[in-house]
Amino acid sequence: MRIFVTGGCGFIGSNFVRHILSKYPDYQVVNFDLLTYAGNRASLADCEADARYQFIEGDIADMPSVKEAMAGCDTVVNFAAESHVDRSILDASAFIRTNVAGVQVLLDAAKGHGVHRFVHISTDETYGSIVDGSFNENDCLSPNSPYAASKAAADLLVRSYFVTHKAPVLVTRSSNNYGPFQFPEKFLPVAITNLIDGKPIPLYGDGANVRDWLHVEDNCRGIDAVLHRGTEGEIYNIGAGNEVTNLDVATALASMFGASSDAIQFVPDRPGHDMRYSVIIEKVGQLGWRAEVPFTDGLKASVEWYRENEAWWRPLKDRARAGALPTTQI
């Protein structure tokens, strides 16, 4: 199998590339990434010497570049996306271009090349917030941020290509990912690296918002299961059942560093901030997948990873700080 991975220098994408190359010795990966501010080739430095791995810098919204790079690939896995909610609130234009128009380009290129499998990586944020219970794959989409709306639009576009063109597409919607190689503007890497530097953890509102924390390696295994055993045209939620408030996560991290609750700095809440995400994962479980990383273990491992890989995140944090959002204390 020759897999065309988009956004492979990003957080989830880089972990997936490494997962595939480690698990499947006969597979090849073409990593197509624009290297925007959140993309980092250093995240796959250990793969550069592998003859099965090829990096191509390019934009998924540019059809000629995509068609040329995708030639010879039989599978597409699309991670490429603008993904930071705060940035989408300030300016949604890049999100529409990449997350919607870029997906249309990928779908058309894949159709032209006769690709056998197209996995589109989405998010549980497309469902919106839920007070009680959990969303299943057939529930209506009610996105509440421009980022989530752009991902929901892409999901519907992918579905339309299945219905209209019989495209061999599948969609995964995962909960909050965490783990190594996450760009230090998201909550967990900001919190961990701030604590390393003796700075407070910025926390929106009262911190009561609930997220289901899924280790990125578990998500990669789930995407792998969907890629190989999923049914075309179907959507698969991927979650871990680790529903924890942001305040509890921040408190646990502070405790790991021997810090008190004074290490948590409450900041004005984000506009339209979803209170709770929760998804039913029975469908992906039927493919033989289950989450394997307990949240406490994964959180401790993440802290150690950022402690041991300062050379990776320090330059990125300096870059993030230069373009920091008003409420992001990094």
Coordinates of all heavy atoms in Angstrom, one line a residue, residues 80-142:
A80 N -4.7 17.1 7.0 CA -4.4 18.5 6.8 C -5.6 19.4 7.2 O -6.8 19.2 6.7 CB -4.1 18.8 5.4
A81 N -5.4 20.3 8.1 CA -6.5 21.2 8.6 C -5.9 22.3 9.4 O -4.9 22.2 10.1 CB -7.5 20.4 9.4
E82 N -6.6 23.5 9.3 CA -6.5 24.5 10.3 C -7.3 24.1 11.5 O -8.5 23.7 11.3 CB -6.9 25.9 9.8 CG -6.1 26.4 8.6 CD -4.8 26.9 9.1 OE1 -4.6 27.2 10.3 OE2 -3.9 27.1 8.2
S83 N -6.8 24.0 12.7 CA -7.5 23.3 13.8 C -7.7 24.1 15.1 O -8.3 23.6 16.0 CB -6.8 22.0 14.1 OG -5.5 22.3 14.6
H84 N -7.1 25.3 15.2 CA -7.2 26.0 16.5 C -8.5 26.9 16.5 O -8.6 27.9 15.8 CB -6.0 26.9 16.7 CG -5.8 27.3 18.1 ND1 -6.0 26.5 19.2 CD2 -5.4 28.5 18.6 CE1 -5.7 27.2 20.3 NE2 -5.4 28.4 20.0
V85 N -9.4 26.6 17.4 CA -10.7 27.2 17.5 C -10.5 28.7 17.7 O -11.2 29.6 17.0 CB -11.5 26.7 18.7 CG1 -12.8 27.5 18.9 CG2 -11.9 25.2 18.4
D86 N -9.6 29.2 18.6 CA -9.4 30.6 18.8 C -9.1 31.3 17.6 O -9.5 32.5 17.3 CB -8.3 30.8 19.9 CG -8.7 30.3 21.3 OD1 -9.8 29.8 21.4 OD2 -7.9 30.5 22.2
R87 N -8.2 30.8 16.8 CA -7.8 31.4 15.5 C -9.0 31.5 14.5 O -9.1 32.5 13.8 CB -6.6 30.7 14.9 CG -5.3 30.8 15.7 CD -4.1 30.2 15.0 NE -2.9 30.3 15.9 CZ -2.2 31.3 16.1 NH1 -2.4 32.4 15.5 NH2 -1.1 31.2 17.0
S88 N -9.8 30.5 14.5 CA -11.0 30.5 13.6 C -12.0 31.6 14.0 O -12.7 32.1 13.2 CB -11.7 29.1 13.6 OG -12.5 28.9 14.8
I89 N -12.0 31.9 15.3 CA -12.9 33.0 15.8 C -12.4 34.3 15.3 O -13.2 35.2 14.9 CB -13.0 32.9 17.3 CG1 -13.7 31.7 17.8 CG2 -13.7 34.2 17.9 CD1 -13.7 31.4 19.3
L90 N -11.1 34.5 15.3 CA -10.6 35.8 14.8 C -10.6 35.9 13.3 O -10.8 37.0 12.8 CB -9.1 35.9 15.3 CG -8.9 36.1 16.8 CD1 -7.4 36.2 17.2 CD2 -9.6 37.4 17.3
D91 N -10.4 34.9 12.6 CA -10.4 34.9 11.1 C -10.6 33.5 10.6 O -9.8 32.6 10.7 CB -9.0 35.4 10.6 CG -9.0 35.6 9.1 OD1 -10.0 35.3 8.4 OD2 -7.9 36.0 8.6
A92 N -11.8 33.3 10.0 CA -12.2 32.0 9.5 C -11.7 31.7 8.1 O -11.9 30.6 7.7 CB -13.7 31.8 9.6
S93 N -11.2 32.7 7.4 CA -10.9 32.5 6.0 C -10.0 31.3 5.7 O -10.2 30.5 4.8 CB -10.3 33.8 5.4 OG -9.1 34.2 6.1
A94 N -8.9 31.2 6.5 CA -7.9 30.1 6.2 C -8.6 28.8 6.5 O -8.2 27.7 5.9 CB -6.7 30.3 7.1
F95 N -9.5 28.7 7.4 CA -10.2 27.5 7.8 C -11.1 27.0 6.6 O -11.2 25.8 6.3 CB -11.0 27.6 9.1 CG -10.1 27.8 10.3 CD1 -9.5 29.0 10.5 CD2 -10.0 26.8 11.2 CE1 -8.7 29.2 11.6 CE2 -9.1 26.9 12.3 CZ -8.5 28.2 12.5
I96 N -11.8 28.0 6.0 CA -12.6 27.6 4.8 C -11.8 27.1 3.7 O -12.1 26.1 3.0 CB -13.5 28.8 4.4 CG1 -14.4 29.3 5.6 CG2 -14.4 28.5 3.2 CD1 -15.2 28.2 6.2
R97 N -10.7 27.8 3.4 CA -9.8 27.5 2.3 C -9.2 26.1 2.5 O -9.3 25.2 1.5 CB -8.7 28.5 2.1 CG -7.8 28.2 0.9 CD -6.7 29.2 0.8 NE -6.0 29.1 -0.4 CZ -5.0 28.2 -0.7 NH1 -4.7 27.3 0.3 NH2 -4.4 28.1 -1.8
T98 N -8.6 25.8 3.6 CA -8.0 24.5 3.8 C -9.0 23.4 4.1 O -9.0 22.3 3.5 CB -7.0 24.6 4.9 OG1 -6.0 25.5 4.6 CG2 -6.3 23.2 5.2
N99 N -9.9 23.6 5.1 CA -10.7 22.6 5.6 C -11.9 22.2 4.7 O -12.4 21.1 4.8 CB -11.2 23.0 7.0 CG -10.1 23.2 8.0 OD1 -9.0 23.1 7.7 ND2 -10.5 23.5 9.2
V100 N -12.3 23.1 3.8 CA -13.4 22.9 2.9 C -12.9 22.8 1.5 O -13.0 21.7 0.8 CB -14.5 23.9 3.0 CG1 -15.7 23.6 2.2 CG2 -15.0 24.1 4.5
A101 N -12.4 23.9 0.9 CA -11.9 23.9 -0.5 C -10.8 22.9 -0.7 O -10.7 22.2 -1.7 CB -11.4 25.3 -0.9
G102 N -9.9 22.7 0.3 CA -8.8 21.8 0.2 C -9.3 20.3 0.1 O -8.8 19.5 -0.6
V103 N -10.4 20.0 0.9 CA -10.9 18.7 0.9 C -11.6 18.4 -0.5 O -11.5 17.3 -1.0 CB -12.0 18.5 2.0 CG1 -12.7 17.2 1.9 CG2 -11.2 18.6 3.4
Q104 N -12.2 19.4 -1.1 CA -12.8 19.2 -2.4 C -11.7 18.9 -3.4 O -11.9 18.0 -4.3 CB -13.5 20.5 -2.8 CG -14.0 20.5 -4.3 CD -13.2 21.4 -5.2 OE1 -12.8 22.5 -4.8 NE2 -12.7 20.8 -6.3
V105 N -10.6 19.6 -3.3 CA -9.5 19.3 -4.2 C -9.0 17.9 -4.1 O -8.7 17.1 -5.0 CB -8.3 20.3 -4.0 CG1 -7.0 19.9 -4.7 CG2 -8.7 21.7 -4.5
L106 N -8.8 17.5 -2.8 CA -8.3 16.1 -2.5 C -9.3 15.0 -3.1 O -8.9 14.0 -3.7 CB -8.2 15.9 -1.0 CG -7.0 16.6 -0.4 CD1 -7.1 16.5 1.2 CD2 -5.7 16.1 -0.9
L107 N -10.6 15.3 -2.9 CA -11.6 14.3 -3.4 C -11.6 14.2 -4.9 O -11.6 13.1 -5.4 CB -13.0 14.8 -2.9 CG -13.3 14.5 -1.4 CD1 -14.5 15.3 -1.0 CD2 -13.5 13.1 -1.1
D108 N -11.5 15.4 -5.6 CA -11.4 15.3 -7.0 C -10.1 14.7 -7.5 O -10.2 13.9 -8.5 CB -11.6 16.7 -7.6 CG -13.0 17.2 -7.5 OD1 -13.9 16.4 -7.5 OD2 -13.2 18.4 -7.6
A109 N -9.0 15.0 -6.9 CA -7.8 14.4 -7.3 C -7.8 12.8 -7.1 O -7.3 12.1 -7.9 CB -6.6 15.0 -6.5
A110 N -8.3 12.4 -5.9 CA -8.4 11.0 -5.6 C -9.3 10.3 -6.6 O -9.1 9.2 -7.1 CB -9.0 10.8 -4.2
K111 N -10.4 11.0 -7.0 CA -11.3 10.4 -8.0 C -10.6 10.2 -9.3 O -10.8 9.2 -10.0 CB -12.6 11.3 -8.1 CG -13.6 10.8 -9.1 CD -15.0 11.5 -8.9 CE -14.9 13.0 -9.1 NZ -14.8 13.3 -10.6
G112 N -9.9 11.2 -9.7 CA -9.1 11.2 -11.0 C -8.1 10.1 -11.0 O -7.8 9.5 -12.1
H113 N -7.5 9.8 -9.9 CA -6.4 8.8 -9.8 C -6.9 7.4 -9.5 O -6.2 6.5 -9.5 CB -5.4 9.2 -8.7 CG -4.4 10.3 -9.1 ND1 -3.6 10.1 -10.2 CD2 -4.1 11.5 -8.5 CE1 -2.8 11.2 -10.3 NE2 -3.1 12.0 -9.3
G114 N -8.2 7.3 -9.3 CA -8.8 6.0 -9.0 C -8.3 5.4 -7.6 O -8.1 4.2 -7.5
V115 N -8.2 6.3 -6.6 CA -7.8 5.9 -5.3 C -8.7 4.9 -4.7 O -10.0 5.0 -4.9 CB -7.6 7.1 -4.4 CG1 -7.6 6.7 -2.9 CG2 -6.4 7.9 -4.8
H116 N -8.2 3.9 -4.1 CA -9.1 2.8 -3.5 C -9.7 3.1 -2.2 O -10.7 2.4 -1.8 CB -8.3 1.5 -3.5 CG -7.7 1.0 -4.8 ND1 -8.5 0.9 -5.9 CD2 -6.5 0.7 -5.1 CE1 -7.7 0.5 -6.9 NE2 -6.5 0.4 -6.5
R117 N -9.1 4.0 -1.4 CA -9.6 4.2 -0.1 C -9.2 5.7 0.3 O -8.1 6.1 0.1 CB -8.8 3.3 0.9 CG -9.5 3.0 2.2 CD -10.6 2.0 2.0 NE -10.9 1.3 3.3 CZ -12.0 0.6 3.5 NH1 -12.9 0.5 2.5 NH2 -12.2 0.0 4.6
F118 N -10.2 6.4 0.9 CA -10.0 7.8 1.3 C -10.6 8.0 2.7 O -11.8 7.9 2.9 CB -10.7 8.7 0.3 CG -10.5 10.2 0.4 CD1 -9.8 10.9 -0.5 CD2 -11.0 10.9 1.6 CE1 -9.6 12.3 -0.4 CE2 -10.8 12.2 1.7 CZ -10.1 12.9 0.7
V119 N -9.7 8.2 3.6 CA -10.1 8.4 5.0 C -9.9 9.9 5.4 O -8.8 10.4 5.3 CB -9.3 7.5 6.0 CG1 -9.7 7.7 7.4 CG2 -9.3 6.1 5.6
H120 N -11.0 10.5 5.7 CA -11.1 11.9 6.1 C -11.1 12.0 7.6 O -12.0 11.4 8.3 CB -12.3 12.6 5.5 CG -12.5 14.0 6.0 ND1 -11.6 15.0 5.7 CD2 -13.4 14.6 6.7 CE1 -12.0 16.1 6.2 NE2 -13.1 15.9 6.8
I121 N -10.2 12.7 8.2 CA -10.1 12.8 9.7 C -10.8 14.1 10.1 O -10.5 15.2 9.8 CB -8.6 13.0 10.1 CG1 -7.8 11.8 9.5 CG2 -8.5 12.9 11.6 CD1 -8.2 10.4 9.8
S122 N -11.9 13.8 10.9 CA -12.7 14.9 11.4 C -12.7 15.0 12.9 O -11.7 14.5 13.6 CB -14.1 14.8 10.9 OG -14.9 15.9 11.2
T123 N -13.7 15.5 13.6 CA -13.6 15.8 15.0 C -15.0 15.7 15.6 O -16.0 16.0 14.9 CB -13.1 17.3 15.2 OG1 -13.3 17.6 16.6 CG2 -13.8 18.3 14.4
D124 N -15.1 15.4 16.9 CA -16.3 15.4 17.6 C -16.9 16.7 17.8 O -18.1 16.9 18.1 CB -16.2 14.7 19.0 CG -15.2 15.4 19.9 OD1 -14.6 16.4 19.5 OD2 -15.1 15.0 21.1
E125 N -16.2 17.8 17.5 CA -16.7 19.2 17.6 C -17.8 19.5 16.6 O -18.5 20.4 16.7 CB -15.6 20.2 17.6 CG -14.6 20.1 18.7 CD -13.6 21.2 18.7 OE1 -14.0 22.4 18.5 OE2 -12.4 20.9 19.0
T126 N -17.8 18.7 15.5 CA -18.9 18.9 14.5 C -20.3 18.7 15.1 O -21.2 19.3 14.6 CB -18.7 18.0 13.3 OG1 -18.7 16.6 13.7 CG2 -17.3 18.3 12.6
Y127 N -20.4 17.9 16.1 CA -21.7 17.6 16.7 C -22.2 18.8 17.6 O -23.4 18.9 17.9 CB -21.7 16.3 17.6 CG -21.4 15.1 16.9 CD1 -20.2 14.3 17.1 CD2 -22.3 14.5 16.0 CE1 -19.9 13.1 16.5 CE2 -22.0 13.3 15.3 CZ -20.8 12.6 15.6 OH -20.6 11.5 15.0
G128 N -21.3 19.6 18.1 CA -21.6 20.6 19.0 C -21.6 20.1 20.4 O -21.0 19.0 20.7
S129 N -22.1 20.8 21.3 CA -22.1 20.5 22.8 C -23.3 19.7 23.1 O -24.4 19.8 22.5 CB -22.1 21.8 23.6 OG -21.9 21.5 24.9
I130 N -23.1 18.8 24.2 CA -24.3 18.0 24.6 C -24.3 18.0 26.2 O -23.2 17.8 26.8 CB -24.1 16.5 24.1 CG1 -25.4 15.7 24.4 CG2 -22.9 15.9 24.5 CD1 -25.5 14.4 23.6
V131 N -25.4 18.2 26.7 CA -25.5 18.3 28.2 C -25.5 16.9 28.8 O -24.7 16.6 29.7 CB -26.8 19.0 28.6 CG1 -27.0 19.0 30.1 CG2 -26.8 20.5 28.1
D132 N -26.4 16.0 28.3 CA -26.5 14.6 28.8 C -26.3 13.6 27.6 O -26.7 14.0 26.5 CB -27.8 14.4 29.5 CG -28.0 15.3 30.7 OD1 -27.1 15.3 31.6 OD2 -29.0 16.0 30.7
G133 N -25.9 12.4 28.0 CA -25.8 11.4 26.9 C -24.6 11.6 26.0 O -23.7 12.4 26.3
S134 N -24.6 11.0 24.9 CA -23.5 11.0 24.0 C -24.0 11.0 22.5 O -25.0 10.4 22.2 CB -22.5 9.8 24.2 OG -22.1 9.7 25.5
F135 N -23.2 11.5 21.6 CA -23.6 11.5 20.2 C -23.2 10.2 19.5 O -22.1 9.7 19.8 CB -22.8 12.7 19.5 CG -23.3 14.1 19.9 CD1 -22.5 14.9 20.5 CD2 -24.6 14.5 19.5 CE1 -22.9 16.2 20.9 CE2 -25.0 15.8 19.8 CZ -24.2 16.6 20.5
N136 N -24.1 9.8 18.6 CA -23.7 8.7 17.7 C -23.5 9.2 16.3 O -23.8 10.4 16.1 CB -24.7 7.5 17.8 CG -26.0 7.9 17.2 OD1 -26.1 8.5 16.1 ND2 -27.1 7.6 17.8
E137 N -23.0 8.4 15.4 CA -22.6 8.9 14.1 C -23.7 9.4 13.3 O -23.5 10.1 12.3 CB -21.9 7.7 13.4 CG -20.5 7.4 13.9 CD -20.5 6.4 15.1 OE1 -21.6 6.1 15.6 OE2 -19.4 5.9 15.5
N138 N -25.0 9.1 13.6 CA -26.1 9.5 12.8 C -26.7 10.8 13.3 O -27.7 11.3 12.7 CB -27.2 8.4 12.7 CG -26.7 7.2 12.0 OD1 -26.0 7.3 11.0 ND2 -27.0 6.0 12.5
D139 N -26.2 11.3 14.4 CA -26.8 12.5 15.0 C -26.5 13.7 14.1 O -25.5 13.8 13.3 CB -26.3 12.8 16.4 CG -26.9 11.9 17.4 OD1 -28.1 11.6 17.3 OD2 -26.3 11.5 18.4
C140 N -27.4 14.7 14.2 CA -27.2 15.9 13.4 C -26.0 16.7 13.8 O -25.6 16.6 14.9 CB -28.5 16.9 13.5 SG -30.0 16.2 12.8
L141 N -25.4 17.4 12.8 CA -24.2 18.2 13.1 C -24.7 19.6 13.5 O -25.5 20.2 12.8 CB -23.3 18.3 11.9 CG -22.8 16.9 11.4 CD1 -21.9 17.1 10.2 CD2 -22.2 16.1 12.4
S142 N -24.1 20.1 14.6 CA -24.5 21.5 15.1 C -23.2 22.2 15.6 O -23.1 22.5 16.8 CB -25.5 21.4 16.3 OG -26.7 20.8 15.8

